[in-house]
Amino acid sequence: MAGNNSKQLALKPQDLLLVLKVAVNPGKDFLLVDLASELGIAVSLIHGSARRAEQARLLSRASGSLRASKPAVREFVMYGAKYSFPGQLGAMVRGLPTAIGGPVLAPLFEGSANLPPVWPDTEGGSWGPGLTALHPGVPAAARLDPKLYAVLSLFDAVRVGAAREREMALERLGELL
């Protein structure tokens, strides 16, 4: 009879959200309850996310606290995550700007004829094609943590951007992660 180790690991969107939160806040000792609150995810789910991220070698607790494995996180986010968590643009909605509308790329694309994508969010002040966020807690988490917002919006540019936008986003992600 096969044990639990025979099941293939599959990362979930909240796992990547947790990994990015830890990665952009190096040196901060997070309690799981604090991460749950800041990311809008139940503590039990955060615990599972941390366990899966450790199994995937994206996070480590070797020092006693959650720490990101920067090279692994950078490689996964830049080259693999868009295939695991593909983005698709939808109808025009109110929300929080992302991709080329996010804080890093927006200054470079001002004056563009196209409206930038937004994460659907009733508290958002922009209109644009809706892009389903990596996790439903993303807009609120992004408002709380500007560094997380920057990385998540760049990841979205990789997910749904044109070639030039993806190239610019990958360059900035390499700097931030």
Side-chain angles (χ1 to χ4, degrees):
M1 185 171 201
N4 282 345
N5 292 338
S6 65
K7 187 175 179 183
Q8 175 61 49
L9 170 71
L11 289 174
K12 297 182 179 185
Q14 68 259 23
D15 304 349
L16 181 55
L17 180 58
L18 169 68
V19 165
L20 292 174
K21 176 71 173 179
V22 173
V24 299
N25 291 286
K28 186 168 181 184
D29 292 331
F30 285 107
L31 297 175
L32 294 184
V33 68
D34 294 334
L35 285 165
S37 174
E38 291 180 32
L39 298 176
I41 300 172
V43 175
S44 60
L45 295 177
I46 287 289
H47 184 274
S49 289
R51 185 177 41 78
R52 284 186 298 275
E54 284 181 89
Q55 289 174 328
R57 293 185 218 104
L58 296 171
L59 292 180
S60 170
R61 289 189 206 211
S63 68
S65 299
L66 282 177
R67 297 286 181 249
S69 170
K70 291 277 193 157
V73 172
R74 185 179 304 115
E75 181 179 12
F76 181 64
V77 171
M78 292 175 66
Y79 305 110
K82 72 178 182 176
Y83 300 108
S84 296
F85 311 112
Q88 187 168 356
L89 297 172
M92 297 293 283
V93 295
R94 178 178 162 181
L96 188 63
T98 187
I100 63 167
V104 178
L105 295 179
L108 305 173
F109 288 92
E110 286 178 351
S112 172
N114 298 329
L115 290 174
V118 299
W119 295 313
D121 179 41
T122 56
E123 294 180 34
S126 298
W127 285 89
L131 174 60
T132 302
L134 183 62
H135 181 273
V138 160
R143 278 193 292 277
L144 290 174
D145 186 340
K147 293 182 284 187
L148 181 61
Y149 184 12
V151 169
L152 286 167
S153 65
L154 288 168
F155 174 59
D156 282 346
V158 173
R159 290 169 68 202
V160 300
R164 178 173 170 253
E165 297 161 1
R166 286 192 313 269
E167 184 178 312
M168 294 171 82
L170 286 170
E171 181 180 325
R172 305 287 182 308
L173 277 169
E175 296 165 1
L176 295 175
L177 290 176

